[in-house]
Amino acid sequence: MAKKKIIVGMRSLPEIRESNSIYIDKTQFIDYLENSAGTKVPVFLRPRRFGKSLTASMLHNYYDICKKNKFDKNFKGTWIYDHRTPLASSYYVIHFDFSDVSSDSKDVNYTFLTSVGSSIISFTNFYPDKGLTEEQLDYSLYNTATDLMQVFLDNFSKKAKEGEYLYIIIDEYDHFANEILTRDKEAFKDITSTAEGHEGLIKRFYALLKKYYRGEGNGAIDRFFITGVSSVSLDSVTSGFNIATNISLKPDCHEMIGFTHDELSDVIDETLDFTKLPDITKEQIMQIMEENFDGYAFEKKAKEKMFNSNLCLAYLESVISERELTYPSRISLNDDAGKLRGMLNLCEDDVREDIVRAMFNKSPIVTELPDKMNLNSTNYFDKAQMVSLLYHLGYLTIDTETSQKKGLTSFIIPNRVYENLFLDYCRQTIGYRADAYKDLSPMFEEAADITPLLEIITEQIETKLNPQSLGKFTEMALQLICDSIINNSRKRQLSAY
């Protein structure tokens, strides 16, 4: 049987289904969201590259009236096809994706306006009788995205018949806000400001959506689905959008995106032809995946940890195309040590040092996740808030074993990919630039000669540390240098697999 294709980063359910690409059926969660989530305004948070956008596309194609004629093509063979819910193909869906909004503070207002406008144009193309005219879509008429959205919602409300409602999907709601947060805390406070007369662009936009929510009165919006990474942006606008419920920690949502171990095993079976990979085994690939892309738990009692699905697919595609085991570090997270530094600068020095030392020593960090993370009410995050932010961004995950033993939520680094990113941050902090591919082969031979290691450590301290770091050289810094040298040695490439 022909193997299925892998299209890395594919966000469109119809394109995946039409191209015979690999798809893990998660459609049972449609029924959960509609009937059991306990809210019509769910916010679902997961780290980057976990597959949130594909979930948004799944919901769009399931509920949108204009997609009804393609329902069989999109869903035949899935769980939901045989368990169709009453609300299938019954909404006018407008789908926003804020990943294209600029994080440059001088451009954010205009690109937010054009992003909202692009979604309204797409909606109008499908529903010209309920969308906006070309004249109304002239961006020069509007100062903000909220002004344009107000016209759209007013127009839809006037033209909609009884029983016709909007389903609003907002994907990557906080993408641009998080980018701003890592670089300029004051700019973030400006866009989320709730001060009367000086409301930020995020506060104004979501306050408008709340106004038109049917649950608040006779509004045109019946349901939402919102994806993002962290709750800090919505928390910071406080009552501006207090209709939303964060469902991310609910046990029933734990496997909604990402791969379980069995799902990843199925993906490998359906996409890899091992007759073309004679020197590679499924067990080797699973080991690499478990060490680098696994380890995520999103509730204390999770029975199974989750794989980052997009990173797994990217790695498998690289194995298929290169016909050899490739380095997991080549798979891009779209994150770097600079972003981590920006996040850690949001807390006081003593809090940051406490968290960094625990992460470096691989010690569980014990703290409960806070209910809210409103940056407009404080200048710095406390420990629980900082750990929560790192958890939502994927740098930490729930340590289920320790959490269940102690009865308190504990956090650890999930896998080697994020451990390496964290160590990059540590190296930058002490001004150390690690050299790659030092030859330490004598250490791994029978004589176990560590002389080359000692010589390299001495040379690295003398030549690779900046002078400022030498004055505060610590045991942690020495351990970091040793770790970097050993892990970058020629002998440690992929021999472990």
Side-chain angles (χ1 to χ4, degrees):
M1 188 171 68
K3 296 295 182 179
K4 291 187 177 293
K5 301 176 184 177
I6 293 176
I7 305 179
V8 179
M10 175 62 73
R11 301 151 63 98
S12 167
L13 177 67
E15 289 184 48
I16 288 175
R17 302 287 283 172
E18 289 171 9
S19 62
N20 192 38
S21 298
I22 186 66
Y23 176 68
I24 294 299
D25 185 7
K26 300 279 189 176
T27 58
Q28 69 271 26
F29 291 101
I30 296 175
D31 180 79
Y32 171 80
L33 289 170
E34 184 174 317
N35 297 307
S36 304
T39 178
K40 286 187 173 185
V41 194
V43 176
F44 188 69
L45 308 173
R46 285 294 184 265
R48 287 177 175 171
R49 302 201 64 184
F50 235 90
K52 298 184 293 292
S53 296
L54 182 56
T55 302
S57 175
M58 174 183 75
L59 293 171
H60 185 168
N61 285 278
Y62 182 79
Y63 284 108
D64 202 344
I65 292 170
C66 73
K67 311 292 185 186
K68 187 174 183 178
N69 62 337
K70 295 183 178 179
F71 192 93
D72 284 7
K73 182 180 291 187
N74 289 331
F75 292 101
K76 191 171 185 178
T78 66
W79 183 91
I80 201 68
Y81 188 81
D82 297 319
H83 303 83
R84 201 172 307 194
T85 64
L87 298 179
S89 308
S90 67
Y91 285 103
Y92 294 90
V93 177
I94 182 165
H95 189 152
F96 299 99
D97 176 0
F98 292 153
S99 63
D100 60 352
V101 178
S102 173
S103 59
D104 189 322
S105 56
K106 70 177 185 299
D107 297 326
V108 64
N109 185 66
Y110 182 72
T111 55
F112 192 35
L113 168 63
T114 57
S115 180
V116 169
S118 176
S119 295
I120 293 174
I121 290 171
S122 179
F123 180 92
T124 301
N125 289 338
F126 285 107
Y127 302 111
D129 60 320
K130 290 181 172 61
L132 297 183
T133 65
E134 188 173 343
E135 292 75 15
Q136 289 173 309
L137 286 166
D138 180 356
Y139 296 155
S140 67
L141 299 175
Y142 308 101
N143 293 321
T144 67
T146 304
D147 297 335
L148 173 56
M149 193 64 184
Q150 173 87 61
V151 172
F152 170 76
L153 290 171
D154 282 344
N155 184 75
F156 182 89
S157 299
K158 292 173 183 176
K159 294 181 178 180
K161 299 175 183 177
E162 184 177 355
E164 294 182 335
Y165 298 106
L166 288 168
Y167 191 133
I168 292 189
I169 295 174
I170 302 177
D171 191 23
E172 303 275 12
Y173 96 91
D174 60 344
H175 184 275
F176 66 98
N178 287 337
E179 293 290 321
I180 292 172
L181 181 60
T182 62
R183 296 198 304 266
D184 189 341
K185 180 170 62 177
E186 295 307 313
F188 175 85
K189 288 186 174 185
D190 182 61
I191 64 172
T192 58
S193 172
T194 59
E196 188 173 352
H198 299 282
E199 292 89 351
L201 64 89
I202 291 179
K203 163 67 174 6
R204 293 195 301 272
F205 184 77
Y206 286 99
L208 176 69
L209 297 184
K210 176 184 173 182
K211 176 183 174 183
Y212 281 84
Y213 173 49
R214 188 178 170 211
E216 293 287 291
N218 297 316
I221 305 169
D222 188 54
R223 285 180 178 268
F224 291 84
F225 183 73
I226 301 172
T227 78
V229 171
S230 167
S231 65
V232 64
S233 295
L234 282 182
D235 288 347
S236 294
V237 301
T238 58
S239 62
F241 200 66
N242 57 7
I243 57 174
T245 299
N246 185 353
I247 64 170
S248 311
L249 292 173
K250 291 192 173 188
D252 289 334
C253 296
H254 186 257
E255 297 177 7
M256 191 156 82
I257 63 171
F259 292 153
T260 64
H261 188 280
D262 287 346
E263 287 170 343
L264 178 58
S265 178
D266 290 343
V267 169
I268 294 173
D269 291 341
E270 293 185 41
T271 58
L272 267 66
D273 182 352
F274 284 97
T275 64
K276 298 178 181 178
L277 305 167
D279 299 322
I280 300 174
T281 67
K282 181 178 179 179
E283 289 71 26
Q284 286 177 308
I285 293 175
M286 287 298 295
Q287 183 182 350
I288 292 173
M289 299 283 209
E290 287 167 359
E291 292 183 5
N292 290 278
F293 310 129
D294 192 15
Y296 297 95
F298 302 107
E299 55 113 358
K300 288 189 287 188
K301 296 182 180 180
K303 296 178 181 178
E304 182 171 4
K305 294 181 179 179
M306 302 297 293
F307 289 86
N308 183 313
S309 51
N310 279 2
L311 295 184
C312 287
L313 291 175
Y315 184 76
L316 291 176
E317 194 280 330
S318 72
V319 171
I320 292 169
S321 61
E322 299 186 30
R323 300 193 177 188
E324 63 179 9
L325 293 177
T326 56
Y327 293 97
S329 58
R330 290 167 53 183
I331 305 302
S332 173
L333 277 170
N334 294 326
D335 267 331
D336 57 38
K339 291 179 182 178
L340 178 56
R341 183 185 302 107
M343 290 296 171
L344 286 168
N345 284 338
L346 296 172
C347 61
E348 300 273 18
D349 291 349
D350 59 334
V351 173
R352 178 170 59 253
E353 290 171 9
D354 187 28
I355 292 172
V356 168
R357 184 167 295 279
M359 292 174 69
F360 186 82
N361 292 328
K362 300 182 180 179
S363 302
I365 303 172
V366 180
T367 185
E368 292 298 330
L369 292 173
D371 292 332
K372 296 290 182 182
M373 294 174 58
N374 183 0
L375 196 56
N376 282 308
S377 64
T378 182
N379 286 322
Y380 292 100
F381 283 143
D382 61 25
K383 182 178 178 179
Q385 292 169 326
M386 192 69 247
V387 169
S388 177
L389 186 60
L390 294 174
Y391 157 75
H392 282 105
L393 291 168
Y395 296 99
L396 295 172
T397 197
I398 295 174
D399 178 5
T400 54
E401 183 177 350
T402 304
S403 297
Q404 291 173 24
K405 283 181 180 178
K406 295 190 174 184
L408 294 171
T409 312
S410 302
F411 299 86
I412 55 173
I413 298 175
N415 50 48
R416 186 176 288 179
V417 166
Y418 272 99
E419 181 181 333
N420 288 339
L421 195 154
F422 169 70
L423 292 176
D424 283 345
Y425 159 80
C426 293
R427 281 188 281 267
Q428 288 186 16
T429 300
I430 66 171
Y432 174 62
R433 296 174 290 110
D435 283 346
Y437 307 127
K438 293 291 183 179
D439 187 4
L440 297 179
S441 54
M443 277 184 58
F444 301 96
E445 294 170 357
E446 187 175 350
D449 183 5
I450 66 169
T451 303
L453 175 62
L454 297 177
E455 291 174 350
I456 293 168
I457 290 172
T458 302
E459 180 262 333
Q460 295 283 291
I461 292 173
E462 291 177 347
T463 63
K464 300 300 181 183
L465 283 180
N466 62 42
Q468 294 81 6
S469 299
L470 290 173
K472 50 184 179 181
F473 195 75
T474 64
E475 180 183 346
M476 178 175 159
L478 179 59
Q479 187 178 343
L480 176 66
I481 292 172
C482 291
D483 178 83
S484 301
I485 292 169
I486 292 171
N487 282 318
N488 283 331
S489 71
R490 292 190 182 98
K491 196 71 176 179
R492 283 291 300 272
Q493 294 181 19
L494 281 173
S495 58
Y497 304 113

